[in-house]
Amino acid sequence: MSLHILGTGSYLPPTVATNDDLAKLVDTNDEWISTRTGIRSRHVSTDEPASVLAAKAAKAALENSGVRAEELDLILCATVSGEFIVPSMACLVQREIGATCPGFDLNGACSAFLFLMETAAAYLSTGRYQKILIVGTEQMSRILDWTDRSTCILFGDGAGAAVLEPGEDYLGSHMTVKGGEEVLRVPTHKGISPFWTAGEEHPYVYMNGSETYKFATRSIPQEVEALLSQCGVEQSQVDWVICHQANRRIIEAAARRLKGIPAEKFLMNIDHCGNCSAASVPILLDECNRKGIFHRGDLILMCAFGGGLSSTACLVRW
Ligand code: COA
């Protein structure tokens, strides 16, 4: 499929909540959080909803790409914490950045940025689209149960974006979905239907942590091994790994299984971002891009997992 990454952007809201700040809200402490997850702080939005975070990341990506908003042919967004169900996040971003093209959203939870890449690559392959903006944005703090210490310490707010054009750099992808809501879900509000008689579940993140942990540590290496064998690429040829930033221990466990890829190739920003769900992969991608870590021709392996349950991996040439 066709894809070349022209540029990236990201935005983190300025307010930082440290583990000590969270210890004032729930019965936890910095030592527990940092040793179990690798998280020391996360950004939290105080007045910018997910669409504002998205538009700021999108503008940064356009600038980094040298592309004007009017040149975009399509905008694809992903979020689980947008301020509206309608209009879509893509419609709000379109207005905020001054684009005129169509756009729509998809829901892939923490794997969403890889689903966006796959969708964009398919559209670019048709030859009908020349410039596509993809954005993952989350205000996770609005959908967390701030009395549940097992989930509220894990997530952060932010947005990441990329501008894509046709090219030969999407070397392959591998995606798996194991459908079900038992392990990880965010219920919607039950509404006020006078006819509804069944119960209500709180509209906040629910997660069975240990089941998610087991799923992630098993599925990431499986996706990566399947992807690389499909592409005919050895683990030793991978230059960098951008893995969904959910837990440092999950990434380290995956790295131990993938023995051909040295541990230092697994890039991380979880210490200061936490898990930003759909925004996690593109925020890290942009941070590394701006630090000048990637060189032309580098093979970048991206992998993610999350609610669905889903696990995904793709291989991109920089
Ligand atoms: N602070 C202090 N103690 C906490 C705590 C917190 N924030 N959260 C849970 N605990 C307690 C539990 O109540 C439990 O106490 P108990 O033994 O008295 O019952 C104890 O710590 C151990 O809990 P447990 O859930 O077994 O911890 P864990 O080592 O499995 O780590 C997670 C919990 C959430 C960090 C881990 O399961 C995880 O990372 N799961 C995957 C999460 C993930 O990737 N989510 C995103 C998916 S996209």
Side-chain angles (χ1 to χ4, degrees):
M1 284 204 289
S2 179
L3 184 145
H4 167 71
I5 299 178
L6 266 172
T8 63
S10 62
Y11 177 74
L12 299 169
T15 301
V16 171
T18 63
N19 292 343
D20 287 338
D21 292 330
L22 267 48
K24 293 175 196 148
L25 303 172
V26 287
D27 182 13
T28 189
N29 56 73
D30 176 50
E31 206 263 330
W32 194 96
I33 301 173
S34 53
T35 54
R36 306 266 177 146
T37 71
I39 301 167
R40 296 193 171 275
S41 62
R42 71 287 291 143
H43 290 254
V44 287
S45 183
T46 55
D47 56 1
E48 296 174 305
S51 69
V52 174
L53 309 180
K56 290 188 172 180
K59 284 179 184 166
L62 287 170
E63 200 183 327
N64 187 247
S65 312
V67 171
R68 285 177 291 112
E70 312 86 88
E71 293 178 72
L72 293 172
D73 299 309
L74 189 64
I75 299 172
L76 302 174
C77 291
T79 185
V80 295
S81 56
E83 63 269 42
F84 299 113
I85 293 174
V86 176
S88 72
M89 185 58 67
C91 293
L92 297 171
V93 169
Q94 187 243 31
R95 179 188 63 184
E96 284 307 307
I97 65 173
T100 53
C101 63
F104 60 89
D105 292 1
L106 60 79
N107 178 343
C110 299
S111 294
F113 197 75
L114 273 70
F115 289 126
L116 289 175
M117 295 266 289
E118 177 86 353
T119 309
Y123 273 94
L124 290 167
S125 301
T126 66
R128 204 175 144 192
Y129 301 85
Q130 298 304 313
K131 300 274 183 293
I132 300 183
L133 170 70
I134 58 173
V135 189
T137 184
E138 300 291 5
Q139 188 197 343
M140 293 304 290
S141 55
R142 79 191 288 275
I143 59 165
L144 292 172
D145 177 352
W146 284 97
T147 64
D148 175 11
R149 66 178 181 173
S150 67
T151 52
C152 75
I153 51 111
L154 295 172
F155 295 90
D157 298 342
V163 179
L164 311 172
E165 66 173 4
E168 303 300 314
D169 299 338
Y170 196 63
L171 304 183
S173 61
H174 198 275
M175 306 186 161
T176 306
V177 164
K178 183 171 171 277
E181 82 291 354
E182 300 81 5
V183 174
L184 188 45
R185 62 179 174 270
V186 186
T188 52
H189 193 278
K190 79 168 171 119
I192 53 168
S193 166
F195 305 105
W196 184 252
T197 54
E200 176 182 19
E201 191 180 359
H202 291 303
Y204 305 123
V205 171
Y206 166 84
M207 186 185 66
N208 180 326
S210 57
E211 285 303 315
T212 309
Y213 191 94
K214 274 188 248 164
F215 171 75
T217 48
R218 213 175 26 238
S219 63
I220 295 173
Q222 280 170 0
E223 290 303 321
V224 171
E225 281 161 5
L227 169 69
L228 293 182
S229 104
Q230 180 187 293
C231 297
V233 169
E234 298 294 328
Q235 291 186 13
S236 57
Q237 292 175 268
V238 172
D239 292 295
W240 304 108
V241 182
I242 300 266
C243 186
H244 170 50
Q245 304 287 293
N247 184 322
R248 173 181 280 276
R249 284 161 58 215
I250 291 176
I251 299 169
E252 287 170 349
R256 280 195 296 277
R257 274 270 314 264
L258 297 165
K259 293 186 191 351
I261 310 177
E264 62 272 17
K265 304 272 180 186
F266 288 75
L267 300 164
M268 287 195 225
N269 65 0
I270 185 151
D271 60 328
H272 65 276
C273 284
N275 178 349
C276 295
S277 188
S280 165
V281 166
I283 291 171
L284 179 58
L285 187 71
D286 183 52
E287 272 190 24
C288 297
N289 179 20
R290 281 163 201 271
K291 281 183 192 157
I293 289 174
F294 306 139
H295 297 99
R296 185 176 288 275
D298 278 0
L299 287 188
I300 303 179
L301 174 68
M302 300 187 205
C303 49
F305 61 92
L309 295 166
S310 66
S311 50
T312 54
C314 73
L315 191 63
V316 174
R317 189 187 300 112
W318 189 252

